[in-house]
Amino acid sequence: MALLEIKNLHASVAGKEILSGIDLTVNTGEVHAIMGPNGSGKSTLAQVLAGRDLYQVTDGQVLYDGKDLLNMPPEERAQEGIFIAFQYPVEIPGVSNMYFLKAALNTIRKRRGLEELDAMDFLTLVKEKLALVEMDPAFLNRPVNAGFSGGEKKRNEIFQMAVLEPRLAILDETDSGLDIDALKIVANGVNQFRTRDRAMIVVTHYQRLLNYIVPDQVHVLANGRIVKSGGKDLALELDQSGYAGLEEAVTA
Amino acid sequence: MNATAPSIEALANQEYKWGFVTEIEADTIPKGLNEDVIRMISAKKNEPEFMLEWRLKSYRQWLKMEEPQWPNVHYPRIDYQDIIYYSAPATKVGPKSLDEVDPELLRTYEKLGIPLKEQELLAGIAVDIVFDSVSVATTFKAKLAELGIIFCSFSEAVQEHPELIQKYLGSVVPHSDNFFAALNAAVFSDGSFCYVPKGVRCPMELSTYFRINAKDTGQFERTLIIADEGAYVSYLEGCTAPMRDNNQLHAAVVELVALDNAQIKYSTVQNWYPGDKQGKGGIYNFVTKRGKCLGDNSKISWTQVETGSAITWKYPSCILIGDNSVGEFYSVALTNNYQQADTGTKMIHIGKNTRSTIVSKGISAGHGQNTYRGMVKILKSAAGARNYSQCDSLLLGDQCGAHTFPYLEVKNTSSQVEHEASTSKIGEDQIFYCRQRGISSEDAVSMIVHGFCKEVFRELPMEFAVEAQKLLGISLEGSVG
């Protein structure tokens, strides 16, 4: 079934249009990759889906699980099961990972009609998930992302995803800044997360990540539109020919 | 996409909940200040001669003094002749028990969340309450008396224990200390007094709640706490006031004395009315608080959470005279809207191996201006003294300010002084990150602020820590954006 339906989505920032009519349907159980050159609108799409108010939606509709997504505040989208693994996760000094994640998990559980987890049950859960991304439990007591290396921040995003168990995960350039070992660890975490009732959108500039997270569909974004869609082979094709030809096709 | 834009503005500035006025008959003297007014106050309180002399001496000194101009705060000149210096709930004789206290007054304290009767029975906190200028009720007195602890209103102490008053009054904050302390010494009408005898550990938290109710009054209370050799006491202080358009002056003095091996822990949650969103009204909180570690191995610890008042001018300090004595200052000061705070501490090291710790957390939001001003002075005699200071500022929004003025003066070579400072800002991107994880804006702000303040909160007694956290949440709602 369709988990996410994006119809003719237009969005702009400070009066400048970035998304110029996106149409995309993502069904449960599917992984969609969105590729494209810098400035094509990939990250904007992720931010708009998250509800960042820097971007104004000027036209179009987004249905998430049949509900009007654009009318939900960001926290409600998160509680409904949308998760963004950010390209640049922010630092929150003074707030421990543990405290932060427990607060997040419990608001989400509350929304789902589940009981809040107490400290003991929570600890059991996070320890299990930490192993998934091969992180040291000592990390739980460190402040959120503060003083983390680029790779640690990305791993932390995937760790949070594993704990919060969203239905739709959007990975925004999760591969950038990762060395090959970290990339494998992250991809492994993501792959364990794939199930039939979840879906994922993987935003990436490079094909490399898609060797490890194999998509069901690949879309190419250029100048705010999806200019080409195909299977996983499309990514390989792009890796060889580049984006240049596609951009010309649109602007011509 | 307006619906998803943070409705932070809309959440802004939850009303001040403690802004009600209690309709109560009050015994008030006319506005203005002169020697007759001071004689009248002293006579109303039936004070011994030495008290009147002290008041008059202070008044004459005050006349020669200038209002301090150095703090980093701005306000129109105060007309000291336009203030009422004495206002008391009209009761003929002081209440013997809570049953004799005006029920309207008790209802006020219930609104403030201090159910006296319940507290007396359950909470194990002895409370003294100062309403306008007069102490109205002290709970648990009898139980404390069994241990030899004196906990009563200042007026009562003047009557019952004049020898202690005469010995210690002004011994930490002299009558001529500063402009506001001199004014307080001249006109103070009541306050709390506590004496813990040798070797006694006070088994419960002692607490005073201060409330300004009457219009145009100033509140000038005085607190004196003495911990005799080996004694321990933990003291809590809370304050609220009604919402009024004009500014009201609160000029209090607190003196603490710790003898050999004694320990005093003094905690404040200050929530005087801060004025409205445009900065109209609010309390001028010009307070002198000082502790003297007179004895060897004594310890005085100040913890304050300052969320209220239009202007705060306050430096709870420690004079470390006894060898190995310890002074501590833990502070959270928050300014929102047009509030201004110039606060910090002084640690004066005189005895050998004296130690002090300063942890100051300033939070500025709206147009708030927050200044930390601290002095660490290590005299030649204070061999081996140590100080550690940490001053952190947190900014919310781009209209507010944080300022830090640390003064360090070290007169010997065997001492160590450390100072750390940081400034950070709660950004829209941090809030958004939290919201994307399902956490609302308000919860995100309070989580970040709490993380910022936790070193101070953990110094507060449990029930006060909870209250302080709530207060911060309320004072900050809507201040991001």
Side-chain angles (χ1 to χ4, degrees):
Chain A
M1 65 164 262
L3 186 59
L4 184 74
E5 290 173 87
I6 303 174
K7 296 172 187 168
N8 189 35
L9 183 66
H10 289 253
S12 53
V13 60
K16 185 173 181 276
E17 188 165 87
I18 310 283
L19 300 181
S20 314
I22 304 268
D23 290 282
L24 177 67
T25 299
V26 178
N27 295 310
T28 47
E30 292 178 352
V31 173
H32 289 238
I34 294 188
M35 302 184 70
N38 291 330
S40 59
K42 302 186 303 282
S43 281
T44 300
L45 179 61
Q47 297 277 338
V48 168
L49 292 175
R52 186 91 210 227
D53 64 351
L54 286 172
Y55 302 91
Q56 292 85 44
V57 173
T58 49
D59 200 5
Q61 196 188 18
V62 179
L63 294 177
Y64 169 73
D65 205 13
K67 284 173 251 180
D68 181 1
L69 184 73
L70 299 179
N71 271 325
M72 293 183 200
E75 58 269 35
E76 202 175 316
R77 299 180 193 200
Q79 289 160 7
E80 287 287 327
I82 293 182
F83 180 92
I84 316 284
F86 288 98
Q87 185 178 2
Y88 303 108
V90 300
E91 303 189 358
I92 311 179
V95 178
S96 76
N97 271 302
M98 178 90 121
Y99 188 86
F100 174 77
L101 206 47
K102 184 161 172 271
L105 180 64
N106 279 334
T107 53
I108 291 170
R109 286 180 66 93
K110 225 159 134 185
R111 176 82 170 201
R112 290 177 189 165
L114 298 169
E115 257 183 58
E116 294 188 18
L117 286 188
D118 63 27
M120 287 311 289
D121 291 343
F122 179 73
L123 194 62
T124 314
L125 174 79
V126 290
K127 285 208 166 142
E128 176 193 316
K129 304 288 185 182
L130 271 175
L132 214 61
V133 284
E134 301 179 24
M135 290 178 93
D136 186 338
F139 147 93
L140 289 170
N141 296 319
R142 289 169 59 186
V144 180
N145 292 323
F148 285 27
S149 69
E152 280 179 319
K153 285 182 184 173
K154 295 299 176 73
R155 267 201 268 176
N156 190 22
E157 295 292 285
I158 301 307
F159 163 63
Q160 290 184 16
M161 179 182 83
V163 172
L164 300 179
E165 303 192 316
R167 294 185 64 200
L168 173 67
I170 301 164
L171 276 49
D172 189 5
E173 310 243 2
T174 297
D175 51 333
S176 69
L178 290 184
D179 61 30
I180 192 72
D181 293 329
L183 186 71
K184 281 180 185 166
I185 292 169
V186 163
N188 180 45
V190 171
N191 285 328
Q192 297 207 25
F193 174 79
R194 286 174 85 157
T195 61
R196 288 166 62 169
D197 51 1
R198 288 186 184 138
M200 209 176 320
I201 296 174
V202 180
V203 174
T204 181
H205 189 80
Y206 300 105
Q207 186 270 340
R208 187 178 71 150
L209 178 67
L210 304 180
N211 287 334
Y212 302 97
I213 303 170
V214 181
D216 299 295
Q217 284 192 52
V218 176
H219 310 279
V220 181
L221 204 60
N223 298 316
R225 277 198 197 97
I226 291 176
V227 292
K228 195 165 187 183
S229 297
K232 61 175 191 254
D233 297 337
L234 178 57
L236 290 168
E237 216 176 281
L238 283 170
D239 203 34
Q240 281 163 12
S241 61
Y243 294 115
L246 290 163
E247 273 185 291
E248 277 161 28
V250 178
T251 46
Chain B
M1 191 121 154
N2 269 343
T4 63
S7 50
I8 297 177
E9 287 303 317
L11 290 161
N13 301 304
Q14 183 168 332
E15 294 298 314
Y16 185 76
K17 285 179 180 169
W18 304 267
F20 54 85
V21 178
T22 306
E23 292 304 329
I24 199 162
E25 217 185 307
D27 174 12
T28 304
I29 64 171
K31 280 181 182 175
L33 185 56
N34 53 46
E35 293 205 1
D36 289 341
V37 167
I38 291 164
R39 285 176 207 281
M40 199 191 310
I41 292 171
S42 189
K44 272 185 186 293
K45 311 207 76 76
N46 192 28
E47 288 179 347
E49 191 58 26
F50 80 87
M51 282 300 299
L52 177 63
E53 288 304 316
W54 196 69
R55 286 176 182 278
L56 289 172
K57 184 169 72 172
S58 306
Y59 174 67
R60 288 166 196 150
Q61 183 66 36
W62 178 72
L63 288 175
K64 289 185 244 162
M65 297 171 98
E66 288 283 327
E67 197 169 328
Q69 300 297 319
W70 50 263
N72 186 22
V73 296
H74 303 279
Y75 57 93
R77 282 201 85 83
I78 298 170
D79 180 356
Y80 290 93
Q81 295 304 333
D82 196 35
I83 293 172
I84 296 170
Y85 286 89
Y86 183 87
S87 171
T91 38
K92 276 124 218 132
V93 194
K96 290 278 173 293
S97 75
L98 284 180
D99 299 334
E100 291 176 29
V101 174
D102 189 326
E104 191 62 33
L105 205 54
L106 291 181
R107 269 192 291 277
T108 299
Y109 289 109
E110 269 165 43
K111 277 190 219 168
L112 295 172
I114 322 161
L116 273 183
K117 298 212 163 194
E118 253 171 70
Q119 228 166 23
E120 189 165 25
L121 295 171
L122 301 170
I125 296 176
V127 185
D128 182 29
I129 285 173
V130 177
F131 195 82
D132 286 338
S133 308
V134 172
S135 180
V136 291
T138 308
T139 60
F140 268 122
K141 208 160 141 184
K143 198 168 169 203
L144 293 167
E146 284 171 25
L147 295 163
I149 297 170
I150 305 167
F151 179 44
C152 62
S153 72
F154 206 98
S155 312
E156 200 178 329
V158 168
Q159 303 298 327
E160 308 285 329
H161 310 282
E163 71 295 345
L164 287 172
I165 298 290
Q166 208 161 1
K167 184 168 178 190
Y168 290 108
L169 177 70
S171 72
V172 186
V173 179
H175 73 280
S176 56
D177 189 80
N178 68 68
F179 183 82
F180 296 112
L183 178 62
N184 174 287
V187 303
F188 82 95
S189 32
D190 214 332
S192 291
F193 175 82
C194 176
Y195 171 81
V196 185
K198 266 183 201 173
V200 172
R201 193 183 163 87
C202 185
M204 60 184 80
E205 313 275 356
L206 300 184
S207 173
T208 300
Y209 244 90
F210 293 105
R211 172 90 181 154
I212 296 176
N213 189 59
K215 208 169 171 235
D216 299 327
T217 53
Q219 176 147 328
F220 306 93
E221 83 277 355
R222 214 174 163 99
T223 302
L224 175 58
I225 299 173
I226 302 141
D228 212 325
E229 290 170 24
Y232 168 87
V233 63
S234 168
Y235 193 89
L236 322 174
E237 171 195 77
C239 346
T240 57
M243 291 157 74
R244 304 234 189 242
D245 287 346
N246 55 341
N247 296 105
Q248 283 179 285
L249 177 63
H250 172 246
V253 171
V254 176
E255 297 181 280
L256 312 180
V257 180
L259 302 183
D260 285 353
N261 303 304
Q263 225 188 93
I264 302 175
K265 187 175 167 62
Y266 195 104
S267 313
T268 305
V269 172
Q270 185 265 107
N271 186 30
W272 295 118
Y273 178 53
D276 67 10
K277 281 174 228 172
Q278 280 71 44
K280 197 163 186 229
I283 303 289
Y284 291 161
N285 191 36
F286 300 155
V287 171
T288 306
K289 293 185 167 180
R290 197 174 300 154
K292 206 183 211 175
C293 283
L294 202 54
D296 291 349
N297 310 309
S298 57
K299 178 175 173 184
I300 289 178
S301 179
W302 297 101
T303 306
Q304 60 170 16
V305 176
E306 304 278 317
T307 62
S309 295
I311 301 178
T312 297
W313 178 95
K314 176 180 171 188
Y315 315 90
S317 304
C318 298
I319 305 175
L320 305 169
I321 298 171
D323 290 347
N324 311 309
S325 61
V326 177
E328 292 176 338
F329 174 74
Y330 298 96
S331 169
V332 169
L334 177 147
T335 53
N336 196 1
N337 298 318
Y338 285 88
Q339 282 177 273
Q340 308 173 64
D342 191 310
T343 185
T345 184
K346 281 191 278 188
M347 293 290 175
I348 316 290
H349 292 253
I350 299 170
K352 287 189 196 71
N353 299 314
T354 45
R355 277 167 294 148
S356 64
T357 303
I358 298 170
V359 177
S360 162
K361 304 277 181 176
I363 303 164
S364 316
H367 295 264
Q369 292 295 327
N370 211 321
T371 300
Y372 167 80
R373 188 184 301 278
M375 171 184 263
V376 176
K377 193 170 187 170
I378 295 181
L379 301 190
K380 203 163 179 211
S381 54
R386 296 192 63 154
N387 161 265
Y388 171 75
S389 304
Q390 185 190 333
C391 304
D392 298 322
S393 304
L394 185 67
L395 300 168
L396 291 86
D398 51 13
Q399 304 290 313
C400 54
H403 317 267
T404 306
F405 300 105
Y407 303 87
L408 304 173
E409 224 177 279
V410 183
K411 298 274 169 66
N412 69 38
T413 51
S414 60
S415 297
Q416 279 184 43
V417 174
E418 282 175 79
H419 183 93
E420 283 181 30
S422 78
T423 303
S424 52
K425 193 176 165 184
I426 297 188
E428 202 56 62
D429 52 345
Q430 286 175 320
I431 304 292
F432 181 73
Y433 188 78
C434 294
R435 294 179 83 192
Q436 209 303 305
R437 298 301 186 249
I439 299 164
S440 69
S441 303
E442 307 91 88
D443 288 349
V445 171
S446 88
M447 184 189 285
I448 295 169
V449 168
H450 184 250
F452 178 74
C453 300
K454 65 183 173 218
E455 289 156 281
V456 174
F457 282 173
R458 70 170 170 238
E459 297 296 325
L460 286 172
M462 190 60 186
E463 60 274 31
F464 243 38
V466 173
E467 186 183 344
Q469 205 175 327
K470 275 195 219 148
L471 256 182
L472 277 189
I474 290 165
S475 306
L476 274 176
E477 262 178 26
S479 50
V480 176

